[in-house]
């Protein structure tokens, strides 16, 4: 799995197996229910304090000067005028003592610095200012005089591999050798096929665009640093900041309570935090540094553009015989992942598979993990190819997929999945969508044609250790839950309260969550990879069971009954044999004596020899205006296999959001780089189009196939965040093909692109 999780570098840490028995849940009372979020009121009323809202007395405001060119040597930086500007308290550059800090590590070496003398994309950091107000800081940036020596730049990964391409790093523009994968004999597989399709597909670069821009507020207290950060993982930020500033981990406290979206772009520490810390040290004042929306587009990460060639062969009955897949993408100016081949090698049963991923440096903003990194791109290519293959075979696209549902992960040594809900997603989804009827319906004979499409996916990471959760039951029966995990907007706190409520019989309202603070909570990995529920909920369950056991042991003493005979029922501990024998939880003497009962739950290892994956199938209905090329998505349905649904409401919210992001990939989102200057043309929310309420179909349905999986973990839940967005765009493209008979190989499906195809000017397939 390390090929997927390039953002998780080094060995995966572990926690000890839990100390308590945790038989699989059967029927649950609280888990699974559509409970509103425990912090819904705070979030909606605006009383929740996000890092962007956070202010400290005496705080300065900082801003970063970024290189306006795609590729340049920073010859000199003159800060003298800026230092004299009103309100300015500090200006720093790479030459400032303590600011010579390496940055962007990959493949065992550092690729840049906090302020590099070589700027490799429009947005690279050159200097920073702290001033009394934000406006004064931005004014001062304009007074910094920088002398640049412009260098030739390259924006396209294929051009970056040409022999005369400008070099972005030493020696080569490749980030490592091409990553090759093979099993079986692809040539023999294609020779044995009755039908073969081949095509080249591309996806545009997408920007994460979280509502809350990236940034931190920092404060020194002697040699201790406190950081309020908008982050998916406080411990990742702690580690990077401590390393950069050469501080012990114990001296860096990172707090990340609320955060306004990240989608992967907030899995790691940003330069802004370290820059703010340097400015705060120099000025002996707290410093707030948040990116502007424009900087967010340039320098906070992206889902890289990929160009993928896919060839698929099958027998008349739909049995796949061979898949060949190659992809070239770019981690950007600094290394990050750009591989997209995983689905092609693992989603369907196929004995002969060959895949190659190439990752090339270009002079543009660096990629960062973005919701299911690599997978929506891979699905765009593979699932359109599967659609074309179905048409060639004269098969229904759902039937073709059903003919190739895997029971084992072929990419991972043929280990069986703990559960495979792909067939259920296809069948139940098709039924709920009205697939067969919609497919047979006339397309229309006016300018507007209707069509439907389908696409599937898996997400191959089911969480695991480390995670530790502490549960405290207080003397008055209220409960405190303590976890290092961030709630990135998915409802982590709510689901964890439900887990604890389930085991302790305490109403959710009596449970308070302390979370995401390296100073006061236990280690948990970053909230990403759809792993928070499967990683942290088992630990929460173990902690709650430990508290329950302590409570029941205390009640057993008080009632002089055997421990095994006792049950928790609402506010009481009751004898299962004789319900008249009971004691109120708050009257249990052990609780009175200790004032608080504590349970420490850990996440044990995953089941050996098996693979945990989530599956999904999305269905789309579109109307295509053949005169204007406009596509209206009229219906979407997502059938998801995440095994247990922990909260029907937050689950549905996750999937609805995933569908909208998929709609963005398919229909509207595209980073546009100017070939003349190398600058981003649409670094704003007016020109970079993310779907709005008007773009979202009126009918968007979420279906969980509700498989029982007792092996994936002790919560029985596999996670949902990422699989909810992987196949959407491909399903929309397939629906467009169904409506008008042209295949849009390149995302997004814009009116000009589609009009060109409809008039025969683009490539068809
Ligand atoms: Mo996700 S891209 O692992 O936040």
């Amino acid at each position: 799995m390390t090929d997927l999780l390039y953002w998780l570098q080094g060995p995966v840490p572990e926690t000890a197996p839990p100390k308590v028995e945790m038989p699989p849940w059967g029927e649950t009372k609280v888990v699974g229910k559509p409970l509103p979020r425990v912090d819904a009121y705070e979030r909606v009323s605006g009383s929740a304090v996000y890092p962007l809202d956070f202010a400290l007395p005496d705080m300065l405001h900082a801003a970063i000067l970024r290189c306006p060119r795609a590729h340049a040597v920073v010859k000199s930086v003159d800060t003298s005028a800026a230092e004299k500007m009103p309100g300015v308290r500090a200006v720093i550059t790479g030459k400032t003592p303590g600011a010579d800090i390496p940055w962007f590590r990959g493949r065992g070496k550092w690729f840049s610095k906090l302020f590099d003398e070589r700027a490799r994309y429009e947005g690279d950091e050159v200097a920073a200012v702290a001033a009394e107000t934000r406006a004064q800081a931005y004014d001062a940036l304009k007074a910094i005089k920088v002398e640049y020596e412009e260098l030739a730049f390259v924006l396209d990964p294929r051009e970056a591999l040409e022999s005369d391409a400008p070099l972005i790093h030493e020696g080569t523009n490749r980030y490592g050798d091409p990553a090759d994968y093979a099993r079986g004999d692809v040539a023999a597989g294609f020779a044995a096929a009755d039908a073969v399709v081949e095509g080249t597909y591309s996806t545009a670069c997408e920007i994460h665009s979280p509502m809350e821009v990236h940034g931190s507020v920092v404060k020194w207290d002697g040699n201790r640093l406190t950081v309020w950060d908008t982050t998916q993982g406080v411990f990742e930020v702690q580690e990077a900041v401590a390393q950069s500033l050469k501080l012990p981990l114990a001296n860096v406290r990172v707090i990340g309570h609320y955060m306004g979206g990240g989608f992967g772009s907030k899995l790691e520490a940003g330069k802004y935090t370290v820059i703010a810390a340097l400015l705060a040290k120099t000025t002996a004042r707290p410093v707030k540094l948040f990116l502007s929306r424009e900087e967010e587009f340039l320098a906070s990460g992206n889902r890289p553009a990929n160009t993928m060639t896919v060839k698929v062969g099958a027998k008349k009955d739909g049995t796949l015989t061979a898949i060949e897949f190659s992809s070239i993408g770019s981690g950007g100016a600094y290394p990050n992942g750009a591989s997209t081949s995983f689905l092609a090698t693992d989603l369907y049963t196929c004995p002969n598979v060959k895949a190659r991923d190439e990752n090339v440096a270009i002079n543009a903003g660096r990629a960062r993990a973005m919701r299911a990194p690599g997978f929506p791109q891979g699905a765009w290519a593979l699932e359109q190819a599967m659609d074309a293959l179905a048409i060639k075979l004269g098969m229904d696209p759902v039937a073709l997929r059903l003919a190739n549902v895997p029971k084992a992960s072929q990419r991972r040594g043929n280990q069986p999945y703990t559960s495979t809900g792909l067939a259920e997603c296809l069948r139940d989804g098709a039924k709920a969508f009205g697939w067969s009827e919609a497919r047979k319906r006339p397309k229309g004979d006016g300018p507007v044609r209707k069509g439907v499409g389908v696409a599937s996916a898996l997400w191959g990471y089911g969480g695991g250790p480390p995670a530790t959760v502490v549960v405290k039951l207080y003397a008055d029966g209220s409960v405190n839950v303590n976890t290092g995990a961030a709630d990135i907007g998915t409802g982590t706190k709510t689901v964890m309260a439900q887990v604890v409520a389930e085991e302790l019989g305490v109403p959710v309202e009596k449970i308070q969550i302390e979370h995401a603070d390296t100073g006061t909570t236990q280690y948990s990995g970053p909230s990403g990879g759809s792993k928070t529920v499967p990683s942290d909920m088992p630990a929460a369950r173990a902690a709650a069971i430990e508290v329950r056991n302590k409570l029941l042991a205390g009640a057993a003493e008080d009632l002089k009954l055997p421990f095994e005979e006792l049950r928790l029922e609402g506010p009481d501990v009751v004898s299962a044999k004789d319900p008249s024998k009971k004691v109120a939880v708050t009257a249990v003497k052990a609780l009175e004596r200790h004032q608080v009962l504590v349970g420490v739950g850990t996440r044990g290892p995953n089941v050996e020899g098996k693979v945990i994956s989530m599956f999904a199938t999305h269905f789309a209905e579109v109307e295509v205006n053949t005169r204007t090329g406009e596509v209206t998505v009229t219906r979407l349905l997502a059938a998801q296999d995440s095994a247990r649904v922990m909260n029907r409401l937050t689950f549905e919210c996750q999937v609805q959001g995933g569908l909208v992001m998929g709609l963005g990939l398919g229909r509207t989102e595209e980073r546009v780089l100017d070939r003349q200057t190398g600058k981003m043309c649409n670094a704003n929310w007016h020109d970079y189009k993310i779907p709005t309420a008007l773009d979202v179909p009126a009918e968007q349905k979420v279906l969980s196939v509700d498989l029982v999986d007792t092996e994936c973990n002790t919560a029985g839940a596999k996670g949902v965040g990422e699989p909810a967005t992987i196949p959407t765009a491909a399903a929309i493209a397939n629906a467009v093909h169904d409506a008008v008979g042209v295949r849009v190989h390149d995302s997004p499906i814009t009116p000009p692109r589609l009009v060109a195809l409809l008039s025969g000017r683009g490539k068809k397939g």
Side-chain angles (χ1 to χ4, degrees):
M1 291 315 297
T2 46
D3 53 344
L4 288 181
L5 294 171
Y6 47 80
W7 47 269
L8 236 182
Q9 298 193 350
V12 177
E14 283 181 15
T15 39
K19 291 167 282 185
V20 297
E21 291 287 307
M22 281 189 281
W25 276 319
E27 283 281 301
T28 48
K29 291 197 184 99
V30 190
V31 165
K33 297 292 176 294
L35 294 189
R37 290 169 202 233
V38 293
D39 54 7
Y41 179 81
E42 289 82 346
R43 285 180 188 271
V44 173
S45 64
S47 62
V49 179
Y50 288 73
L52 185 56
D53 304 322
F54 193 70
L56 289 169
D58 230 18
M59 181 178 84
L60 293 172
H61 297 264
I64 296 171
L65 181 69
R66 296 178 183 277
C67 176
R69 301 167 206 277
H71 202 183
V73 176
V74 181
K75 303 266 286 186
S76 67
V77 185
D78 178 359
T79 60
S80 52
E83 280 158 21
K84 295 189 199 96
M85 293 282 286
V88 171
R89 296 291 171 258
V91 185
I92 59 170
T93 70
K95 297 236 169 14
T96 307
D100 185 15
I101 295 170
W103 208 269
F104 293 132
R105 199 175 162 76
R107 305 185 172 272
K109 64 171 186 174
W110 295 101
F111 280 76
S112 188
K113 296 197 242 179
L114 196 63
F115 303 104
D116 204 333
E117 302 85 40
R118 172 106 165 261
R120 296 180 180 85
Y121 75 98
E122 181 205 13
D124 241 335
E125 291 78 356
V126 175
V129 172
E132 296 291 341
T133 70
R134 195 165 150 84
Q136 287 173 330
Y138 275 95
D139 280 348
L141 291 185
K142 291 184 200 136
I144 299 175
K145 293 188 196 74
V146 188
E147 195 190 337
Y148 293 105
E149 178 193 326
E150 277 200 66
L151 301 172
F153 60 84
V154 60
L155 306 174
D156 183 299
R158 286 157 300 183
E159 289 169 18
L161 288 178
E162 285 166 14
S163 56
D164 59 347
L167 280 181
I168 298 164
H169 299 285
E170 262 166 53
T172 171
N173 280 339
R174 281 187 187 280
Y175 291 128
D177 294 331
D180 287 320
Y181 169 84
R183 66 171 178 262
D185 180 342
V186 176
F190 284 121
D194 294 315
V196 176
V197 295
E198 186 170 5
T200 297
Y201 298 84
S202 78
T203 50
C205 174
E206 283 189 290
I207 308 294
H208 299 75
S209 305
M211 292 296 282
E212 186 187 31
V213 291
H214 291 64
S216 313
V217 176
V218 306
K219 179 179 184 289
W220 289 93
D221 179 6
N223 63 353
R224 293 163 56 125
L225 178 70
T226 306
V227 177
W228 290 264
D229 196 28
T230 173
T231 179
Q232 295 174 239
V234 288
F235 291 93
E236 279 56 40
V237 175
Q238 179 197 34
E239 196 187 332
V241 169
Q243 207 176 65
S244 299
L245 297 171
K246 300 195 169 61
L247 290 171
L249 286 171
N251 292 33
V252 180
R253 179 175 176 192
V254 180
I255 302 167
H257 289 161
Y258 287 98
M259 62 91 73
F263 311 109
S265 69
K266 294 176 181 170
L267 284 167
E268 55 182 281
K271 284 186 180 181
Y272 42 82
T273 309
V274 171
I275 292 172
L278 292 173
L279 289 166
K281 190 103 202 176
T282 310
T283 56
R285 303 263 296 268
V287 168
K288 181 171 189 172
L289 174 45
F290 274 80
L291 305 194
S292 66
R293 183 54 66 183
E294 185 187 8
E295 291 176 281
E296 191 76 15
F297 275 98
L298 295 173
S300 75
N302 56 69
R303 182 193 296 290
N306 278 89
T307 302
M308 298 157 284
T309 299
V310 55
K311 186 175 173 186
V312 191
K315 295 285 207 190
K316 278 198 189 75
D317 65 357
T319 310
L320 293 177
T321 58
I323 299 174
E324 202 172 337
F325 186 97
S326 68
S327 164
I328 179 163
S330 175
Y334 301 104
N336 206 307
S339 63
T340 64
S341 72
F342 196 90
L343 280 181
T345 63
D346 210 42
L347 181 57
Y348 300 114
T349 302
C350 183
N352 309 302
V353 177
K354 204 169 142 185
R356 161 168 283 203
D357 279 297
E358 291 184 87
N359 187 359
V360 181
I362 57 170
N363 292 108
R366 172 173 163 270
R368 275 188 179 178
M370 181 164 166
R371 204 168 186 174
F375 280 58
Q377 300 99 301
W380 174 260
L382 176 72
E383 288 300 275
Q384 288 209 63
M386 288 293 283
D387 197 64
L389 182 64
I391 292 164
K392 199 157 182 180
L393 288 165
M395 262 182 105
D396 182 279
V398 170
L400 173 63
R401 286 169 175 83
L402 277 171
N404 297 285
V405 168
K407 287 286 172 231
S409 174
Q410 301 155 95
R411 179 74 183 251
R412 288 160 291 186
N414 269 319
Q415 300 181 85
Y417 294 112
T418 57
S419 56
T420 321
L422 181 56
E424 289 80 355
C425 287
L426 284 157
R427 274 195 214 108
D428 299 0
K431 197 161 167 235
F433 186 76
W435 169 258
S436 308
E437 305 77 47
R439 196 77 182 171
K440 281 182 218 124
R441 210 171 42 195
K443 313 290 174 213
D445 41 23
V448 175
R449 307 285 164 88
K450 251 175 140 62
V452 289
V454 62
S456 289
L458 65 69
W459 173 244
Y461 182 57
T468 303
V469 174
V470 173
V471 171
K472 296 182 202 163
L473 173 66
Y474 290 108
D476 67 351
S478 64
V479 174
N480 186 284
V481 180
N482 185 299
T483 171
D487 185 337
I488 60 175
T490 56
T492 301
K493 288 192 278 178
T494 308
V495 171
M496 197 170 281
Q498 288 177 272
V499 168
V500 174
E502 186 73 39
E503 297 297 352
L504 282 182
V506 174
V508 164
E509 300 73 47
K510 281 199 169 184
I511 299 173
Q512 293 301 321
I513 312 271
E514 307 292 334
H515 79 303
D517 180 339
T518 63
T520 59
T521 65
Q522 283 60 240
Y523 186 88
S524 171
S527 291
S530 306
K531 68 166 247 310
T532 313
V533 157
S535 301
D536 295 81
M537 299 313 155
R541 194 179 169 210
I545 291 175
E546 192 184 330
V547 170
R548 188 182 64 198
N549 288 350
K550 286 183 178 174
L551 185 70
L552 294 185
E557 272 177 38
D558 296 354
L559 294 169
K560 306 205 174 5
L561 290 172
F563 173 92
E564 296 73 31
E565 197 181 312
L566 298 177
R567 305 275 176 274
L568 256 177
E569 270 176 29
D572 299 316
V573 181
V574 183
S575 159
K577 284 193 186 150
D578 176 0
S580 72
K581 292 180 179 166
K582 62 179 177 180
V583 56
V585 166
T586 49
V588 171
K589 294 212 171 52
L591 180 56
E592 283 182 358
R593 234 174 19 243
H594 294 284
Q595 284 296 301
V596 57
L597 296 180
V598 181
V600 180
T602 50
R603 172 59 154 90
N606 282 330
V607 58
E608 266 184 47
K610 295 208 169 180
V611 165
I612 304 152
S613 284
M614 301 142 240
F615 294 84
T617 300
H618 290 184
F619 296 83
E621 181 186 75
V622 299
E623 285 177 6
V624 182
N625 186 318
T626 53
R627 287 186 186 149
T628 63
E630 272 170 302
V631 174
T632 308
V633 180
T634 49
R635 282 201 297 149
L636 287 173
L637 182 138
Q640 305 285 142
D641 161 32
S642 296
R644 183 185 294 280
V645 171
M646 299 298 284
N647 176 324
R648 272 288 145 202
L649 188 59
T650 59
F651 183 90
E652 179 158 329
C653 291
Q654 275 288 288
V655 182
Q656 295 279 4
L659 288 168
V660 176
M661 280 186 88
L663 185 70
L665 173 68
R667 287 272 295 104
T668 56
E669 295 188 46
E670 178 170 26
R671 176 181 74 182
V672 180
L673 298 174
D674 178 16
R675 290 185 67 89
Q676 301 286 322
T677 61
K679 289 162 78 79
M680 183 172 173
C681 304
N682 57 342
N684 60 71
W685 266 350
H686 181 269
D687 299 313
Y688 180 92
K689 305 285 187 194
I690 59 169
T692 68
L694 293 177
D695 302 301
V696 175
E699 190 184 314
Q700 208 171 257
K701 282 192 180 158
V702 178
L703 179 79
S704 163
V705 299
D706 283 350
L707 293 194
V708 174
D709 185 337
T710 56
E711 288 184 304
C712 59
N713 58 64
T714 53
K718 298 195 283 189
V720 71
E722 280 155 307
T725 202
I726 298 169
T728 323
I732 292 168
N734 290 339
V736 168
H737 185 277
D738 184 52
V740 292
V742 300
R743 192 160 291 289
V744 187
H745 288 243
D746 309 309
S747 88
I749 309 172
T750 57
R753 187 167 269 156
L754 191 49
V755 160
L757 289 167
L758 287 164
S759 62
R761 283 183 284 122
K763 53 183 172 180
K764 286 196 183 188

